[in-house]
Amino acid sequence: MKIIARKAVPTHIISGFLGAGKTTLLQHLLTQKPKNEVWAILMNEFGQIGVDQQLITQQSGYAVKELLGGCLCCSSQLPMQITLSRLLSESKPDRLFIEPTGLGHPAQLLEQLTEPHWHSSLDMRALVVVVDGSRLHDKPWVQQHLYTDQLKAAQVVVISHKDSMNDDDQQAYIQLKQEYQTYVQSWIEAENGQVPLLQLDLPLVPVQRKVQPLLRQQMTQQNESETQEIKQLPYHYVETAQGYTVAGWKFPKRWQFKFYDVLDLLCTQQDWIRIKAIFYTDQGWKSFNFNPEQFNYKSTEESIDNRIEVIIQDSVQHDWLLFETQLLACRVDGLESI
């Protein structure tokens, strides 16, 4: 008897902030299931009482599981692995949808599901993030770290509640597309969650991220065979996606910088697409948001760290060591204290 190996299951993560419309989108996608296929849905509720499962079709051809309590993106992986493995083995689905809680970090979930252990079981598709278009004008809402983290993980963004967007929302939408052009491959404007599956069924294009020590520290490690990746501050990282390179730095919260020195340094940079930063300065916490049309900086709330990202096109060469050295020289207590 010949044993036929089962193909990896096309798997879609449908993420988004609280109330964005993830379940509405998922409900519409489920109506597109071919009659001869079995589709599975893994839903994650942060609380202990499941609600979303009751909103999803419970009939032949669908298999729905909920993981309650905590977030499958960032809590212990074991419950998620057990639940997902059981769902795959029992249902043998032709397609799988995963809807994490609105409080989740989809990039962490994606990192888990792209580990070698899952390669033969899951064919990860483009990560989808649903955004409530009618709330784009609400700056405190869209500037939350969790909200921005979700957008940075997105390959496809679905704009929901399009019919409720006002002029401020429309303008914010234009700015949002410009701000996340490095990460997002496709923007879809949906009404009542009505999006053809074909528009979401795209191959996953993972963002390549390398986290490493500060560049000046690496200069002293040249004798080592390989620079090890790190996750504690301070560190430098590089991301590449869709023809762009993002060079970023994160520094401890306690480090203080000279505001005008930082501003002068950023204003003298060339050939960049976007610069975003937040620093603890001698004039308080300041955020910087530069694009080719305008240089914006303002006072802001205290952050969890100092951070900066500079986005350039892959074809552009930049002396990042020089930039890092000049940036560190902007510290109030000087470069040599590092």
Side-chain angles (χ1 to χ4, degrees), residues 94-107:
D94 297 287
R95 192 172 296 273
L96 170 66
F97 295 89
I98 301 178
E99 182 189 330
T101 170
L103 298 175
H105 296 264

Side-chain angles (χ1 to χ4, degrees), residues 252-282:
K253 177 180 179 178
R254 68 179 183 278
W255 287 14
Q256 189 177 40
F257 293 77
K258 301 172 186 174
F259 169 70
Y260 284 110
D261 287 358
V262 171
L263 180 61
D264 287 345
L265 174 61
L266 299 186
C267 288
T268 58
Q269 299 307 301
Q270 297 181 351
D271 299 324
W272 47 266
I273 301 296
R274 192 172 190 87
I275 300 177
K276 293 191 68 176
I278 181 169
F279 284 105
Y280 172 44
T281 77
D282 52 1

Side-chain angles (χ1 to χ4, degrees), residues 318-338:
H318 204 291
D319 189 341
W320 295 122
L321 176 59
L322 174 61
F323 176 76
E324 179 187 284
T325 302
Q326 294 172 329
L327 182 61
L328 293 174
C330 297
R331 284 189 63 188
V332 169
D333 46 3
L335 180 64
E336 297 307 317
S337 63
I338 299 172

Side-chain angles (χ1 to χ4, degrees), residues 165-189:
M165 293 173 65
N166 59 29
D167 290 343
D168 290 339
D169 292 321
Q170 295 287 354
Q171 185 60 40
Y173 179 35
I174 295 173
Q175 295 175 354
L176 191 74
K177 292 174 71 173
Q178 181 184 56
E179 183 172 350
Y180 289 93
Q181 63 179 324
T182 310
Y183 307 97
V184 180
Q185 178 180 335
S186 176
W187 298 82
I188 301 172
E189 300 170 16

Side-chain angles (χ1 to χ4, degrees), residues 70-140:
C71 169
L72 59 79
C73 304
C74 47
S75 61
S76 172
Q77 295 184 31
L78 185 58
M80 185 273 291
Q81 290 188 3
I82 293 174
T83 303
L84 180 54
S85 295
R86 185 173 298 165
L87 181 60
L88 292 173
S89 62
E90 293 178 355
S91 305
K92 297 179 174 54
D94 297 287
R95 192 172 296 273
L96 170 66
F97 295 89
I98 301 178
E99 182 189 330
T101 170
L103 298 175
H105 296 264
Q108 295 182 21
L109 175 60
L110 185 61
E111 184 178 346
Q112 295 174 25
L113 298 181
T114 51
E115 290 179 353
H117 169 73
W118 294 108
H119 286 179
S120 62
S121 303
L122 305 177
D123 174 16
M124 297 304 302
R125 314 306 289 164
L127 194 152
V128 178
V129 171
V130 184
V131 172
D132 183 350
S134 69
R135 298 202 67 171
L136 289 177
H137 68 279
D138 187 346
K139 291 186 178 180

